[in-house]
Amino acid sequence: MRQHPSTSVAVVFLIATFSAALFGCGSLQPQPPSPEQQAEQIEPMLSAAGFRMLPADTPERQKQLESLLPLQVQYYIGKTGNLHYWMADPYYCKCMYIGTEEAYQQYEKLKLNEQFQAKEGEISRQTLEAQQMEEMDMQEEMFNPYGMGLVGPMGPAMYR
């Protein structure tokens, strides 16, 4: 069976378009947040949970702050056996957050609540996209009530 030159060009064009679309989808992965963005997200929750901010306002404190693991809530056991929580931020506020066990538990609740809200938002977005796709399908059916696609007896093939 002999193909028309326009058919070969169309196939090449479709392959190129599909390849470009696949390449484009791969580059749409969200970039991980910068340390400043992470701190900007974490610090309001720590403050709301009851953590206190201690600025690194002396050269000694700045040097100590830079030697600690950044943006990770850590703990130590005090002399009385109580847990003390802290987080070092050498990027955004150049400070350290310090809190009690109760403040840490409140922080964990806030963090879980934020994750829940983000997941709920994602589900809402997916639901909205599905509704929009359904509406588009219905509009297409209203425009094309016989269900004939672009290829077929009434499509572009008819004009050869």
Side-chain angles (χ1 to χ4, degrees):
M1 179 171 164
R2 189 169 172 260
Q3 289 185 351
H4 295 302
S6 62
T7 305
S8 299
V9 170
V11 169
V12 169
F13 178 74
L14 284 174
I15 291 172
T17 303
F18 184 70
S19 298
L22 282 178
F23 178 74
C25 288
S27 65
L28 292 178
Q29 296 298 322
Q31 296 295 322
S34 69
E36 291 83 6
Q37 290 169 330
Q38 283 179 318
E40 197 173 351
Q41 181 182 13
I42 295 170
E43 289 176 12
M45 286 191 293
L46 289 172
S47 292
F51 278 71
R52 291 180 301 128
M53 182 184 77
L54 298 175
D57 51 4
T58 65
E60 298 84 32
R61 284 186 178 180
Q62 289 174 358
K63 189 173 182 179
Q64 182 184 17
L65 183 68
E66 291 173 2
S67 70
L68 299 172
L69 181 64
L71 304 177
Q72 298 289 322
V73 177
Q74 304 286 319
Y75 71 92
Y76 67 93
I77 300 173
K79 295 176 186 174
T80 60
N82 294 332
L83 292 174
H84 301 276
Y85 290 85
W86 58 272
M87 185 197 77
D89 177 13
Y91 307 113
Y92 186 66
C93 73
K94 296 178 179 31
C95 65
M96 179 181 285
Y97 281 87
I98 297 178
T100 62
E101 174 71 25
E102 293 80 24
Y104 177 73
Q105 294 303 324
Q106 184 64 28
Y107 165 71
E108 285 296 317
K109 286 178 187 175
L110 291 171
K111 193 166 75 168
L112 284 173
N113 190 26
E114 184 176 282
Q115 290 170 352
F116 176 74
Q117 289 176 351
K119 188 67 170 172
E120 221 174 35
E122 177 66 20
I123 290 170
S124 296
R125 186 188 61 76
Q126 290 174 351
T127 302
L128 179 63
E129 285 178 1
Q131 288 173 345
Q132 289 173 341
M133 291 296 289
E134 190 174 317
E135 287 175 16
M136 287 172 46
D137 286 346
M138 289 182 66
Q139 288 175 358
E140 183 179 333
E141 287 178 14
M142 287 172 48
F143 179 73
N144 186 4
Y146 301 108
M148 294 187 185
L150 293 175
V151 180
M154 301 295 284
M158 181 175 114
Y159 298 107
R160 284 196 234 175

